[in-house]
Amino acid sequence: MGKNIQWYPGHMAKAFRLMRENLSLVDIVFELVDARLPLSSRNPEVDKLIVNKPRMLVLTKADLADPKETTAWKGYFEKLGLPVAVLDTRGPKTAQVMTKKAKEVLADQIAAQEEKGIKNRPIRVMLAGIPNVGKSTLLNHLVEKNVAITANKPGVTKKVAWLKTATGLEILDSPGVLWPKFEDPTTGQRLALTGAIKDTIFPKDDAALAMLAFFRGYKPQAIVDRYHLQDDVFDNMTDVEVLLEITSKLGFKDDYDKAAVRMLNDLRSGKLGRYTLDHEHD
């Protein structure tokens, strides 16, 4: 699935160069990952770029993820020594929560500055993450006004810009960046399901079939209830047959591409309930 996908445009290479050039200007990196796929949405190239710079892992869109899985993933990353913040990026106190956690991570650095007589210096933050992970939404909450373009599709932010918050942060926003090659095709499937890879370059029916395969072993009843299917549909039908059945139920005749689009929209908007695609924390 997706063997010949070309999705690494020039602006991503440029974004990495700008991030590399500006890394020395920041005190801490907020590495954003989607709480629905905390492992698959971590960019290994960003990990190499950050190296020893203080960082905080931010699990975004936690309101869409399975809360038990989110708790498990938080514990997993903390055991690796990573400070973690779990966010519903619509939360009203996002700026205060993020500033407090950043100060905790940088406590020693701030104390050293205060010994030198430097007090209340703004904390400079770089936001890093893959496309459509919620950076622009988080940024809007941090600065408490709509300054970043937001959309539920990848590739909206194209340039680097500094923005100040009322809580003492100076934020360096940057475009979402993917990496050139997926070692595991499952990673590509999961990123396609959440919309991190543009729908125009990933077969919609493949994504819908991957979605059905996932829910078959995870929460089959969510599919049954949403599309008014027989309770035993997964016992008696293949994923392809289930897709065709859903296409029929939606009144799309034989247009399973149209059904796939509806299913992906339902998944991304939370109409199939809260879910987490990555379960590899055990």
Side-chain angles (χ1 to χ4, degrees), residues 98-124:
M98 297 301 291
T99 303
K100 180 182 178 182
K101 285 187 171 290
K103 287 180 177 179
E104 290 172 0
V105 175
L106 297 171
D108 291 345
Q109 183 177 318
I110 293 170
Q113 290 172 354
E114 290 179 347
E115 282 185 12
K116 297 176 182 177
I118 304 170
K119 294 186 178 182
N120 299 319
R121 185 177 76 78
I123 295 173
R124 297 191 182 101

mmCIF file with all atom_site columns, all heavy atoms in Angstrom, residues 98-124:
data_model
loop_
_atom_site.group_PDB
_atom_site.id
_atom_site.type_symbol
_atom_site.label_atom_id
_atom_site.label_alt_id
_atom_site.label_comp_id
_atom_site.label_asym_id
_atom_site.label_entity_id
_atom_site.label_seq_id
_atom_site.pdbx_PDB_ins_code
_atom_site.Cartn_x
_atom_site.Cartn_y
_atom_site.Cartn_z
_atom_site.occupancy
_atom_site.B_iso_or_equiv
_atom_site.pdbx_formal_charge
_atom_site.auth_seq_id
_atom_site.auth_comp_id
_atom_site.auth_asym_id
_atom_site.auth_atom_id
_atom_site.pdbx_PDB_model_num
ATOM 1   N N   . MET A 1 98  ? 0.977  25.008 29.574 1.00 0.00 ? 98  MET A N   1
ATOM 2   C CA  . MET A 1 98  ? 2.204  24.816 28.816 1.00 0.00 ? 98  MET A CA  1
ATOM 3   C C   . MET A 1 98  ? 3.356  25.646 29.379 1.00 0.00 ? 98  MET A C   1
ATOM 4   O O   . MET A 1 98  ? 4.503  25.196 29.422 1.00 0.00 ? 98  MET A O   1
ATOM 5   C CB  . MET A 1 98  ? 1.975  25.152 27.349 1.00 0.00 ? 98  MET A CB  1
ATOM 6   C CG  . MET A 1 98  ? 0.960  24.258 26.652 1.00 0.00 ? 98  MET A CG  1
ATOM 7   S SD  . MET A 1 98  ? 1.418  22.507 26.680 1.00 0.00 ? 98  MET A SD  1
ATOM 8   C CE  . MET A 1 98  ? 2.833  22.514 25.605 1.00 0.00 ? 98  MET A CE  1
ATOM 9   N N   . THR A 1 99  ? 3.056  26.868 29.809 1.00 0.00 ? 99  THR A N   1
ATOM 10  C CA  . THR A 1 99  ? 4.100  27.726 30.381 1.00 0.00 ? 99  THR A CA  1
ATOM 11  C C   . THR A 1 99  ? 4.624  27.143 31.686 1.00 0.00 ? 99  THR A C   1
ATOM 12  O O   . THR A 1 99  ? 5.842  27.100 31.925 1.00 0.00 ? 99  THR A O   1
ATOM 13  C CB  . THR A 1 99  ? 3.559  29.145 30.611 1.00 0.00 ? 99  THR A CB  1
ATOM 14  O OG1 . THR A 1 99  ? 3.061  29.665 29.375 1.00 0.00 ? 99  THR A OG1 1
ATOM 15  C CG2 . THR A 1 99  ? 4.655  30.069 31.145 1.00 0.00 ? 99  THR A CG2 1
ATOM 16  N N   . LYS A 1 100 ? 3.716  26.657 32.523 1.00 0.00 ? 100 LYS A N   1
ATOM 17  C CA  . LYS A 1 100 ? 4.121  26.058 33.799 1.00 0.00 ? 100 LYS A CA  1
ATOM 18  C C   . LYS A 1 100 ? 5.013  24.840 33.565 1.00 0.00 ? 100 LYS A C   1
ATOM 19  O O   . LYS A 1 100 ? 6.055  24.680 34.221 1.00 0.00 ? 100 LYS A O   1
ATOM 20  C CB  . LYS A 1 100 ? 2.880  25.665 34.612 1.00 0.00 ? 100 LYS A CB  1
ATOM 21  C CG  . LYS A 1 100 ? 3.201  25.035 35.969 1.00 0.00 ? 100 LYS A CG  1
ATOM 22  C CD  . LYS A 1 100 ? 1.931  24.630 36.701 1.00 0.00 ? 100 LYS A CD  1
ATOM 23  C CE  . LYS A 1 100 ? 2.270  23.944 38.035 1.00 0.00 ? 100 LYS A CE  1
ATOM 24  N NZ  . LYS A 1 100 ? 1.044  23.491 38.734 1.00 0.00 ? 100 LYS A NZ  1
ATOM 25  N N   . LYS A 1 101 ? 4.625  23.978 32.621 1.00 0.00 ? 101 LYS A N   1
ATOM 26  C CA  . LYS A 1 101 ? 5.411  22.775 32.352 1.00 0.00 ? 101 LYS A CA  1
ATOM 27  C C   . LYS A 1 101 ? 6.775  23.125 31.755 1.00 0.00 ? 101 LYS A C   1
ATOM 28  O O   . LYS A 1 101 ? 7.781  22.490 32.055 1.00 0.00 ? 101 LYS A O   1
ATOM 29  C CB  . LYS A 1 101 ? 4.631  21.827 31.429 1.00 0.00 ? 101 LYS A CB  1
ATOM 30  C CG  . LYS A 1 101 ? 3.495  21.094 32.141 1.00 0.00 ? 101 LYS A CG  1
ATOM 31  C CD  . LYS A 1 101 ? 2.860  20.054 31.246 1.00 0.00 ? 101 LYS A CD  1
ATOM 32  C CE  . LYS A 1 101 ? 1.881  19.186 32.018 1.00 0.00 ? 101 LYS A CE  1
ATOM 33  N NZ  . LYS A 1 101 ? 2.535  18.288 32.978 1.00 0.00 ? 101 LYS A NZ  1
ATOM 34  N N   . ALA A 1 102 ? 6.795  24.134 30.894 1.00 0.00 ? 102 ALA A N   1
ATOM 35  C CA  . ALA A 1 102 ? 8.071  24.556 30.303 1.00 0.00 ? 102 ALA A CA  1
ATOM 36  C C   . ALA A 1 102 ? 9.013  25.054 31.393 1.00 0.00 ? 102 ALA A C   1
ATOM 37  O O   . ALA A 1 102 ? 10.219 24.753 31.374 1.00 0.00 ? 102 ALA A O   1
ATOM 38  C CB  . ALA A 1 102 ? 7.830  25.641 29.272 1.00 0.00 ? 102 ALA A CB  1
ATOM 39  N N   . LYS A 1 103 ? 8.483  25.791 32.349 1.00 0.00 ? 103 LYS A N   1
ATOM 40  C CA  . LYS A 1 103 ? 9.301  26.295 33.460 1.00 0.00 ? 103 LYS A CA  1
ATOM 41  C C   . LYS A 1 103 ? 9.831  25.144 34.320 1.00 0.00 ? 103 LYS A C   1
ATOM 42  O O   . LYS A 1 103 ? 10.957 25.210 34.830 1.00 0.00 ? 103 LYS A O   1
ATOM 43  C CB  . LYS A 1 103 ? 8.498  27.275 34.310 1.00 0.00 ? 103 LYS A CB  1
ATOM 44  C CG  . LYS A 1 103 ? 8.274  28.622 33.632 1.00 0.00 ? 103 LYS A CG  1
ATOM 45  C CD  . LYS A 1 103 ? 7.474  29.566 34.512 1.00 0.00 ? 103 LYS A CD  1
ATOM 46  C CE  . LYS A 1 103 ? 7.319  30.941 33.851 1.00 0.00 ? 103 LYS A CE  1
ATOM 47  N NZ  . LYS A 1 103 ? 6.512  31.866 34.679 1.00 0.00 ? 103 LYS A NZ  1
ATOM 48  N N   . GLU A 1 104 ? 9.024  24.094 34.471 1.00 0.00 ? 104 GLU A N   1
ATOM 49  C CA  . GLU A 1 104 ? 9.478  22.925 35.236 1.00 0.00 ? 104 GLU A CA  1
ATOM 50  C C   . GLU A 1 104 ? 10.650 22.239 34.533 1.00 0.00 ? 104 GLU A C   1
ATOM 51  O O   . GLU A 1 104 ? 11.635 21.873 35.165 1.00 0.00 ? 104 GLU A O   1
ATOM 52  C CB  . GLU A 1 104 ? 8.314  21.941 35.420 1.00 0.00 ? 104 GLU A CB  1
ATOM 53  C CG  . GLU A 1 104 ? 7.229  22.438 36.367 1.00 0.00 ? 104 GLU A CG  1
ATOM 54  C CD  . GLU A 1 104 ? 6.013  21.528 36.374 1.00 0.00 ? 104 GLU A CD  1
ATOM 55  O OE1 . GLU A 1 104 ? 6.011  20.512 35.632 1.00 0.00 ? 104 GLU A OE1 1
ATOM 56  O OE2 . GLU A 1 104 ? 5.045  21.825 37.109 1.00 0.00 ? 104 GLU A OE2 1
ATOM 57  N N   . VAL A 1 105 ? 10.522 22.076 33.215 1.00 0.00 ? 105 VAL A N   1
ATOM 58  C CA  . VAL A 1 105 ? 11.587 21.426 32.445 1.00 0.00 ? 105 VAL A CA  1
ATOM 59  C C   . VAL A 1 105 ? 12.871 22.256 32.481 1.00 0.00 ? 105 VAL A C   1
ATOM 60  O O   . VAL A 1 105 ? 13.979 21.713 32.551 1.00 0.00 ? 105 VAL A O   1
ATOM 61  C CB  . VAL A 1 105 ? 11.140 21.213 30.981 1.00 0.00 ? 105 VAL A CB  1
ATOM 62  C CG1 . VAL A 1 105 ? 12.282 20.653 30.143 1.00 0.00 ? 105 VAL A CG1 1
ATOM 63  C CG2 . VAL A 1 105 ? 9.943  20.270 30.925 1.00 0.00 ? 105 VAL A CG2 1
ATOM 64  N N   . LEU A 1 106 ? 12.723 23.583 32.468 1.00 0.00 ? 106 LEU A N   1
ATOM 65  C CA  . LEU A 1 106 ? 13.873 24.486 32.398 1.00 0.00 ? 106 LEU A CA  1
ATOM 66  C C   . LEU A 1 106 ? 14.255 25.061 33.763 1.00 0.00 ? 106 LEU A C   1
ATOM 67  O O   . LEU A 1 106 ? 14.967 26.073 33.831 1.00 0.00 ? 106 LEU A O   1
ATOM 68  C CB  . LEU A 1 106 ? 13.564 25.638 31.427 1.00 0.00 ? 106 LEU A CB  1
ATOM 69  C CG  . LEU A 1 106 ? 13.317 25.238 29.967 1.00 0.00 ? 106 LEU A CG  1
ATOM 70  C CD1 . LEU A 1 106 ? 12.814 26.437 29.166 1.00 0.00 ? 106 LEU A CD1 1
ATOM 71  C CD2 . LEU A 1 106 ? 14.590 24.673 29.344 1.00 0.00 ? 106 LEU A CD2 1
ATOM 72  N N   . ALA A 1 107 ? 13.812 24.427 34.833 1.00 0.00 ? 107 ALA A N   1
ATOM 73  C CA  . ALA A 1 107 ? 14.011 24.976 36.182 1.00 0.00 ? 107 ALA A CA  1
ATOM 74  C C   . ALA A 1 107 ? 15.476 25.305 36.470 1.00 0.00 ? 107 ALA A C   1
ATOM 75  O O   . ALA A 1 107 ? 15.796 26.388 36.994 1.00 0.00 ? 107 ALA A O   1
ATOM 76  C CB  . ALA A 1 107 ? 13.466 24.012 37.230 1.00 0.00 ? 107 ALA A CB  1
ATOM 77  N N   . ASP A 1 108 ? 16.383 24.406 36.150 1.00 0.00 ? 108 ASP A N   1
ATOM 78  C CA  . ASP A 1 108 ? 17.809 24.633 36.426 1.00 0.00 ? 108 ASP A CA  1
ATOM 79  C C   . ASP A 1 108 ? 18.347 25.811 35.614 1.00 0.00 ? 108 ASP A C   1
ATOM 80  O O   . ASP A 1 108 ? 19.111 26.641 36.129 1.00 0.00 ? 108 ASP A O   1
ATOM 81  C CB  . ASP A 1 108 ? 18.627 23.373 36.118 1.00 0.00 ? 108 ASP A CB  1
ATOM 82  C CG  . ASP A 1 108 ? 18.339 22.246 37.097 1.00 0.00 ? 108 ASP A CG  1
ATOM 83  O OD1 . ASP A 1 108 ? 17.740 22.511 38.156 1.00 0.00 ? 108 ASP A OD1 1
ATOM 84  O OD2 . ASP A 1 108 ? 18.697 21.090 36.784 1.00 0.00 ? 108 ASP A OD2 1
ATOM 85  N N   . GLN A 1 109 ? 17.950 25.872 34.352 1.00 0.00 ? 109 GLN A N   1
ATOM 86  C CA  . GLN A 1 109 ? 18.403 26.953 33.482 1.00 0.00 ? 109 GLN A CA  1
ATOM 87  C C   . GLN A 1 109 ? 17.899 28.303 33.971 1.00 0.00 ? 109 GLN A C   1
ATOM 88  O O   . GLN A 1 109 ? 18.642 29.297 33.987 1.00 0.00 ? 109 GLN A O   1
ATOM 89  C CB  . GLN A 1 109 ? 17.909 26.690 32.057 1.00 0.00 ? 109 GLN A CB  1
ATOM 90  C CG  . GLN A 1 109 ? 18.360 27.708 31.025 1.00 0.00 ? 109 GLN A CG  1
ATOM 91  C CD  . GLN A 1 109 ? 17.891 27.329 29.622 1.00 0.00 ? 109 GLN A CD  1
ATOM 92  O OE1 . GLN A 1 109 ? 17.946 26.170 29.238 1.00 0.00 ? 109 GLN A OE1 1
ATOM 93  N NE2 . GLN A 1 109 ? 17.413 28.314 28.868 1.00 0.00 ? 109 GLN A NE2 1
ATOM 94  N N   . ILE A 1 110 ? 16.622 28.337 34.387 1.00 0.00 ? 110 ILE A N   1
ATOM 95  C CA  . ILE A 1 110 ? 16.027 29.586 34.887 1.00 0.00 ? 110 ILE A CA  1
ATOM 96  C C   . ILE A 1 110 ? 16.704 30.017 36.184 1.00 0.00 ? 110 ILE A C   1
ATOM 97  O O   . ILE A 1 110 ? 16.992 31.204 36.390 1.00 0.00 ? 110 ILE A O   1
ATOM 98  C CB  . ILE A 1 110 ? 14.506 29.410 35.076 1.00 0.00 ? 110 ILE A CB  1
ATOM 99  C CG1 . ILE A 1 110 ? 13.825 29.232 33.714 1.00 0.00 ? 110 ILE A CG1 1
ATOM 100 C CG2 . ILE A 1 110 ? 13.905 30.599 35.814 1.00 0.00 ? 110 ILE A CG2 1
ATOM 101 C CD1 . ILE A 1 110 ? 12.369 28.812 33.795 1.00 0.00 ? 110 ILE A CD1 1
ATOM 102 N N   . ALA A 1 111 ? 16.992 29.039 37.058 1.00 0.00 ? 111 ALA A N   1
ATOM 103 C CA  . ALA A 1 111 ? 17.667 29.346 38.327 1.00 0.00 ? 111 ALA A CA  1
ATOM 104 C C   . ALA A 1 111 ? 19.055 29.934 38.070 1.00 0.00 ? 111 ALA A C   1
ATOM 105 O O   . ALA A 1 111 ? 19.477 30.893 38.737 1.00 0.00 ? 111 ALA A O   1
ATOM 106 C CB  . ALA A 1 111 ? 17.781 28.085 39.181 1.00 0.00 ? 111 ALA A CB  1
ATOM 107 N N   . ALA A 1 112 ? 19.777 29.388 37.089 1.00 0.00 ? 112 ALA A N   1
ATOM 108 C CA  . ALA A 1 112 ? 21.111 29.891 36.746 1.00 0.00 ? 112 ALA A CA  1
ATOM 109 C C   . ALA A 1 112 ? 21.030 31.330 36.223 1.00 0.00 ? 112 ALA A C   1
ATOM 110 O O   . ALA A 1 112 ? 21.892 32.167 36.536 1.00 0.00 ? 112 ALA A O   1
ATOM 111 C CB  . ALA A 1 112 ? 21.754 28.987 35.702 1.00 0.00 ? 112 ALA A CB  1
ATOM 112 N N   . GLN A 1 113 ? 19.992 31.618 35.440 1.00 0.00 ? 113 GLN A N   1
ATOM 113 C CA  . GLN A 1 113 ? 19.806 32.977 34.935 1.00 0.00 ? 113 GLN A CA  1
ATOM 114 C C   . GLN A 1 113 ? 19.528 33.951 36.073 1.00 0.00 ? 113 GLN A C   1
ATOM 115 O O   . GLN A 1 113 ? 20.065 35.064 36.099 1.00 0.00 ? 113 GLN A O   1
ATOM 116 C CB  . GLN A 1 113 ? 18.642 33.006 33.929 1.00 0.00 ? 113 GLN A CB  1
ATOM 117 C CG  . GLN A 1 113 ? 18.935 32.315 32.609 1.00 0.00 ? 113 GLN A CG  1
ATOM 118 C CD  . GLN A 1 113 ? 17.695 32.208 31.736 1.00 0.00 ? 113 GLN A CD  1
ATOM 119 O OE1 . GLN A 1 113 ? 16.593 32.553 32.149 1.00 0.00 ? 113 GLN A OE1 1
ATOM 120 N NE2 . GLN A 1 113 ? 17.885 31.711 30.522 1.00 0.00 ? 113 GLN A NE2 1
ATOM 121 N N   . GLU A 1 114 ? 18.690 33.527 37.011 1.00 0.00 ? 114 GLU A N   1
ATOM 122 C CA  . GLU A 1 114 ? 18.335 34.406 38.125 1.00 0.00 ? 114 GLU A CA  1
ATOM 123 C C   . GLU A 1 114 ? 19.541 34.706 39.016 1.00 0.00 ? 114 GLU A C   1
ATOM 124 O O   . GLU A 1 114 ? 19.651 35.804 39.567 1.00 0.00 ? 114 GLU A O   1
ATOM 125 C CB  . GLU A 1 114 ? 17.192 33.780 38.934 1.00 0.00 ? 114 GLU A CB  1
ATOM 126 C CG  . GLU A 1 114 ? 15.865 33.778 38.186 1.00 0.00 ? 114 GLU A CG  1
ATOM 127 C CD  . GLU A 1 114 ? 14.725 33.150 38.967 1.00 0.00 ? 114 GLU A CD  1
ATOM 128 O OE1 . GLU A 1 114 ? 15.012 32.489 39.992 1.00 0.00 ? 114 GLU A OE1 1
ATOM 129 O OE2 . GLU A 1 114 ? 13.572 33.311 38.550 1.00 0.00 ? 114 GLU A OE2 1
ATOM 130 N N   . GLU A 1 115 ? 20.443 33.729 39.133 1.00 0.00 ? 115 GLU A N   1
ATOM 131 C CA  . GLU A 1 115 ? 21.669 33.965 39.901 1.00 0.00 ? 115 GLU A CA  1
ATOM 132 C C   . GLU A 1 115 ? 22.519 35.059 39.257 1.00 0.00 ? 115 GLU A C   1
ATOM 133 O O   . GLU A 1 115 ? 23.272 35.756 39.933 1.00 0.00 ? 115 GLU A O   1
ATOM 134 C CB  . GLU A 1 115 ? 22.481 32.672 40.019 1.00 0.00 ? 115 GLU A CB  1
ATOM 135 C CG  . GLU A 1 115 ? 21.945 31.697 41.058 1.00 0.00 ? 115 GLU A CG  1
ATOM 136 C CD  . GLU A 1 115 ? 22.855 30.489 41.234 1.00 0.00 ? 115 GLU A CD  1
ATOM 137 O OE1 . GLU A 1 115 ? 23.991 30.526 40.727 1.00 0.00 ? 115 GLU A OE1 1
ATOM 138 O OE2 . GLU A 1 115 ? 22.412 29.528 41.878 1.00 0.00 ? 115 GLU A OE2 1
ATOM 139 N N   . LYS A 1 116 ? 22.401 35.191 37.956 1.00 0.00 ? 116 LYS A N   1
ATOM 140 C CA  . LYS A 1 116 ? 23.139 36.224 37.219 1.00 0.00 ? 116 LYS A CA  1
ATOM 141 C C   . LYS A 1 116 ? 22.357 37.531 37.144 1.00 0.00 ? 116 LYS A C   1
ATOM 142 O O   . LYS A 1 116 ? 22.772 38.473 36.471 1.00 0.00 ? 116 LYS A O   1
ATOM 143 C CB  . LYS A 1 116 ? 23.440 35.739 35.803 1.00 0.00 ? 116 LYS A CB  1
ATOM 144 C CG  . LYS A 1 116 ? 24.344 34.510 35.741 1.00 0.00 ? 116 LYS A CG  1
ATOM 145 C CD  . LYS A 1 116 ? 24.507 34.043 34.300 1.00 0.00 ? 116 LYS A CD  1
ATOM 146 C CE  . LYS A 1 116 ? 25.361 32.786 34.219 1.00 0.00 ? 116 LYS A CE  1
ATOM 147 N NZ  . LYS A 1 116 ? 25.461 32.276 32.828 1.00 0.00 ? 116 LYS A NZ  1
ATOM 148 N N   . GLY A 1 117 ? 21.203 37.572 37.824 1.00 0.00 ? 117 GLY A N   1
ATOM 149 C CA  . GLY A 1 117 ? 20.397 38.782 37.830 1.00 0.00 ? 117 GLY A CA  1
ATOM 150 C C   . GLY A 1 117 ? 19.425 38.899 36.673 1.00 0.00 ? 117 GLY A C   1
ATOM 151 O O   . GLY A 1 117 ? 18.791 39.939 36.483 1.00 0.00 ? 117 GLY A O   1
ATOM 152 N N   . ILE A 1 118 ? 19.309 37.824 35.873 1.00 0.00 ? 118 ILE A N   1
ATOM 153 C CA  . ILE A 1 118 ? 18.371 37.837 34.746 1.00 0.00 ? 118 ILE A CA  1
ATOM 154 C C   . ILE A 1 118 ? 17.057 37.203 35.198 1.00 0.00 ? 118 ILE A C   1
ATOM 155 O O   . ILE A 1 118 ? 16.996 36.010 35.457 1.00 0.00 ? 118 ILE A O   1
ATOM 156 C CB  . ILE A 1 118 ? 18.936 37.045 33.545 1.00 0.00 ? 118 ILE A CB  1
ATOM 157 C CG1 . ILE A 1 118 ? 20.297 37.602 33.128 1.00 0.00 ? 118 ILE A CG1 1
ATOM 158 C CG2 . ILE A 1 118 ? 17.961 37.082 32.366 1.00 0.00 ? 118 ILE A CG2 1
ATOM 159 C CD1 . ILE A 1 118 ? 21.030 36.740 32.121 1.00 0.00 ? 118 ILE A CD1 1
ATOM 160 N N   . LYS A 1 119 ? 16.033 38.032 35.327 1.00 0.00 ? 119 LYS A N   1
ATOM 161 C CA  . LYS A 1 119 ? 14.755 37.528 35.821 1.00 0.00 ? 119 LYS A CA  1
ATOM 162 C C   . LYS A 1 119 ? 13.648 37.741 34.788 1.00 0.00 ? 119 LYS A C   1
ATOM 163 O O   . LYS A 1 119 ? 13.640 38.735 34.063 1.00 0.00 ? 119 LYS A O   1
ATOM 164 C CB  . LYS A 1 119 ? 14.387 38.225 37.138 1.00 0.00 ? 119 LYS A CB  1
ATOM 165 C CG  . LYS A 1 119 ? 15.332 37.886 38.279 1.00 0.00 ? 119 LYS A CG  1
ATOM 166 C CD  . LYS A 1 119 ? 14.848 38.473 39.584 1.00 0.00 ? 119 LYS A CD  1
ATOM 167 C CE  . LYS A 1 119 ? 15.779 38.090 40.733 1.00 0.00 ? 119 LYS A CE  1
ATOM 168 N NZ  . LYS A 1 119 ? 15.314 38.611 42.035 1.00 0.00 ? 119 LYS A NZ  1
ATOM 169 N N   . ASN A 1 120 ? 12.739 36.781 34.765 1.00 0.00 ? 120 ASN A N   1
ATOM 170 C CA  . ASN A 1 120 ? 11.543 36.871 33.916 1.00 0.00 ? 120 ASN A CA  1
ATOM 171 C C   . ASN A 1 120 ? 11.867 37.031 32.435 1.00 0.00 ? 120 ASN A C   1
ATOM 172 O O   . ASN A 1 120 ? 11.125 37.673 31.691 1.00 0.00 ? 120 ASN A O   1
ATOM 173 C CB  . ASN A 1 120 ? 10.637 38.013 34.383 1.00 0.00 ? 120 ASN A CB  1
ATOM 174 C CG  . ASN A 1 120 ? 10.154 37.810 35.804 1.00 0.00 ? 120 ASN A CG  1
ATOM 175 O OD1 . ASN A 1 120 ? 9.804  36.702 36.199 1.00 0.00 ? 120 ASN A OD1 1
ATOM 176 N ND2 . ASN A 1 120 ? 10.147 38.883 36.584 1.00 0.00 ? 120 ASN A ND2 1
ATOM 177 N N   . ARG A 1 121 ? 12.977 36.448 32.001 1.00 0.00 ? 121 ARG A N   1
ATOM 178 C CA  . ARG A 1 121 ? 13.272 36.468 30.574 1.00 0.00 ? 121 ARG A CA  1
ATOM 179 C C   . ARG A 1 121 ? 12.289 35.542 29.859 1.00 0.00 ? 121 ARG A C   1
ATOM 180 O O   . ARG A 1 121 ? 12.005 34.451 30.339 1.00 0.00 ? 121 ARG A O   1
ATOM 181 C CB  . ARG A 1 121 ? 14.708 35.996 30.307 1.00 0.00 ? 121 ARG A CB  1
ATOM 182 C CG  . ARG A 1 121 ? 15.098 36.120 28.836 1.00 0.00 ? 121 ARG A CG  1
ATOM 183 C CD  . ARG A 1 121 ? 16.544 35.720 28.589 1.00 0.00 ? 121 ARG A CD  1
ATOM 184 N NE  . ARG A 1 121 ? 16.756 34.285 28.616 1.00 0.00 ? 121 ARG A NE  1
ATOM 185 C CZ  . ARG A 1 121 ? 16.450 33.448 27.625 1.00 0.00 ? 121 ARG A CZ  1
ATOM 186 N NH1 . ARG A 1 121 ? 15.867 33.910 26.525 1.00 0.00 ? 121 ARG A NH1 1
ATOM 187 N NH2 . ARG A 1 121 ? 16.688 32.164 27.723 1.00 0.00 ? 121 ARG A NH2 1
ATOM 188 N N   . PRO A 1 122 ? 11.725 35.980 28.750 1.00 0.00 ? 122 PRO A N   1
ATOM 189 C CA  . PRO A 1 122 ? 10.789 35.102 28.036 1.00 0.00 ? 122 PRO A CA  1
ATOM 190 C C   . PRO A 1 122 ? 11.427 33.759 27.701 1.00 0.00 ? 122 PRO A C   1
ATOM 191 O O   . PRO A 1 122 ? 12.620 33.685 27.401 1.00 0.00 ? 122 PRO A O   1
ATOM 192 C CB  . PRO A 1 122 ? 10.481 35.885 26.752 1.00 0.00 ? 122 PRO A CB  1
ATOM 193 C CG  . PRO A 1 122 ? 10.758 37.309 27.103 1.00 0.00 ? 122 PRO A CG  1
ATOM 194 C CD  . PRO A 1 122 ? 11.905 37.273 28.069 1.00 0.00 ? 122 PRO A CD  1
ATOM 195 N N   . ILE A 1 123 ? 10.632 32.705 27.770 1.00 0.00 ? 123 ILE A N   1
ATOM 196 C CA  . ILE A 1 123 ? 11.096 31.370 27.373 1.00 0.00 ? 123 ILE A CA  1
ATOM 197 C C   . ILE A 1 123 ? 10.853 31.217 25.884 1.00 0.00 ? 123 ILE A C   1
ATOM 198 O O   . ILE A 1 123 ? 9.723  31.365 25.407 1.00 0.00 ? 123 ILE A O   1
ATOM 199 C CB  . ILE A 1 123 ? 10.340 30.278 28.154 1.00 0.00 ? 123 ILE A CB  1
ATOM 200 C CG1 . ILE A 1 123 ? 10.663 30.365 29.648 1.00 0.00 ? 123 ILE A CG1 1
ATOM 201 C CG2 . ILE A 1 123 ? 10.697 28.888 27.618 1.00 0.00 ? 123 ILE A CG2 1
ATOM 202 C CD1 . ILE A 1 123 ? 9.831  29.424 30.510 1.00 0.00 ? 123 ILE A CD1 1
ATOM 203 N N   . ARG A 1 124 ? 11.920 30.941 25.142 1.00 0.00 ? 124 ARG A N   1
ATOM 204 C CA  . ARG A 1 124 ? 11.799 30.814 23.693 1.00 0.00 ? 124 ARG A CA  1
ATOM 205 C C   . ARG A 1 124 ? 11.534 29.349 23.336 1.00 0.00 ? 124 ARG A C   1
ATOM 206 O O   . ARG A 1 124 ? 12.287 28.464 23.728 1.00 0.00 ? 124 ARG A O   1
ATOM 207 C CB  . ARG A 1 124 ? 13.061 31.321 23.007 1.00 0.00 ? 124 ARG A CB  1
ATOM 208 C CG  . ARG A 1 124 ? 13.304 32.810 23.252 1.00 0.00 ? 124 ARG A CG  1
ATOM 209 C CD  . ARG A 1 124 ? 14.396 33.360 22.374 1.00 0.00 ? 124 ARG A CD  1
ATOM 210 N NE  . ARG A 1 124 ? 14.627 34.773 22.658 1.00 0.00 ? 124 ARG A NE  1
ATOM 211 C CZ  . ARG A 1 124 ? 15.630 35.226 23.394 1.00 0.00 ? 124 ARG A CZ  1
ATOM 212 N NH1 . ARG A 1 124 ? 16.507 34.393 23.924 1.00 0.00 ? 124 ARG A NH1 1
ATOM 213 N NH2 . ARG A 1 124 ? 15.778 36.515 23.596 1.00 0.00 ? 124 ARG A NH2 1
#
